[in-house]
């Protein structure tokens, strides 16, 4: 059953703590993306990767880091430098090329406590 | 910079009525447009992908049209059901954007009343 798996579903972070969100896909897609969703603001791109061992900053990369060591995995670390991390985080993937469909995971809700 | 707008932000209709959802974008230079559905607290489910060379796409009760010259897309859902209640988002891939990055609208929250 192909798809994108995000874990955990809920995550709580203490002030000053780094946390890592997992994203795994078995669709054999080259491109992967991380978006942040806030109420009333829509989805904003954090980072994206078009190929293993390469990634690019999106519109709101400050306070986040990623790695792409394997094709199927694209973890996102929310660092202590991210001042307002409470949000819903969505991972997506797609094939390379201009007319490809994007698929999303079920999301991780991160809350600062 | 490409901007995508969805109006209205919320919509309520009685069961059985046809739904018409609007999406507008400022730059017609796009590769494709994609419609998604999002249930509360869930991820996005892809509904339809319209390539820039196409005028419409259909899947079951769903039909999406694309008019690049006017920067508009419309999602039609025939004979709405309470299970259609969700937020619907549209997104485009601008030609000028590297990495096939999607630009999203703010979504239309739909309530279908029994």
């Amino acid at each position: 059953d192909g798809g994108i798996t995000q874990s955990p579903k809920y995550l709580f972070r203490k002030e000053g703590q780094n946390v890592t969100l997992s994203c795994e896909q078995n669709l054999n897609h080259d491109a992967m993306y991380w978006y942040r969703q806030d109420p009333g603001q829509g989805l904003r791109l954090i980072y994206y990767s078009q190929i293993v061992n390469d990634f690019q900053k999106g519109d709101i990369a400050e306070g986040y880091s990623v790695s792409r060591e394997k094709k199927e995995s694209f973890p996102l670390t929310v660092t202590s430098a991210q001042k307002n991390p409470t949000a819903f985080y969505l991972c997506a993937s797609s094939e390379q090329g201009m007319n490809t469909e994007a698929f999303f995971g079920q999301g991780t809700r991160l809350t600062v406590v | 910079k490409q901007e995508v707008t969805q109006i209205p932000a919320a919509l309520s209709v009685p069961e059985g009525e046809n739904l018409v959802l609007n999406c507008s974008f400022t730059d017609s230079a796009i590769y494709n447009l994609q419609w998604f559905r999002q249930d509360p607290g869930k991820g996005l489910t892809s509904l339809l992908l319209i390539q820039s060379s196409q005028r419409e796409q259909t899947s079951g009760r769903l039909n999406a049209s694309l008019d690049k010259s006017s920067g508009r897309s419309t999602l039609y859902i025939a004979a709405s059901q309470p299970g259609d209640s969700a937020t619907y988002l549209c997104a485009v891939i601008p030609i000028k954007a590297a990495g096939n990055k999607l630009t999203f609208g703010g979504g239309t929250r739909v309530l279908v009343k029994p």
Side-chain angles (χ1 to χ4, degrees), chain A residues 3-33:
Chain A
I4 301 174
T5 301
Q6 290 188 241
S7 62
K9 188 173 181 179
Y10 300 98
L11 188 57
F12 298 91
R13 191 194 94 166
K14 294 181 181 178
E15 294 284 351
Q17 197 177 44
N18 292 354
V19 291
T20 298
L21 285 60
S22 171
C23 178
E24 303 275 333
Q25 55 99 358
N26 61 5
L27 300 169
N28 200 34
H29 287 167
D30 284 311
M32 298 186 74
Y33 309 83

Side-chain angles (χ1 to χ4, degrees), chain A residues 33 37 45 97-99 101-102, chain B residues 31 34 38 46 99-101:
Chain A
Y33 309 83
Q37 188 176 33
L45 182 66
M98 63 186 77
N99 284 316
E101 190 174 4
Chain B
Y31 284 129
Q34 197 167 351
Q38 185 176 32
S46 178
N100 285 355
K101 296 176 290 183

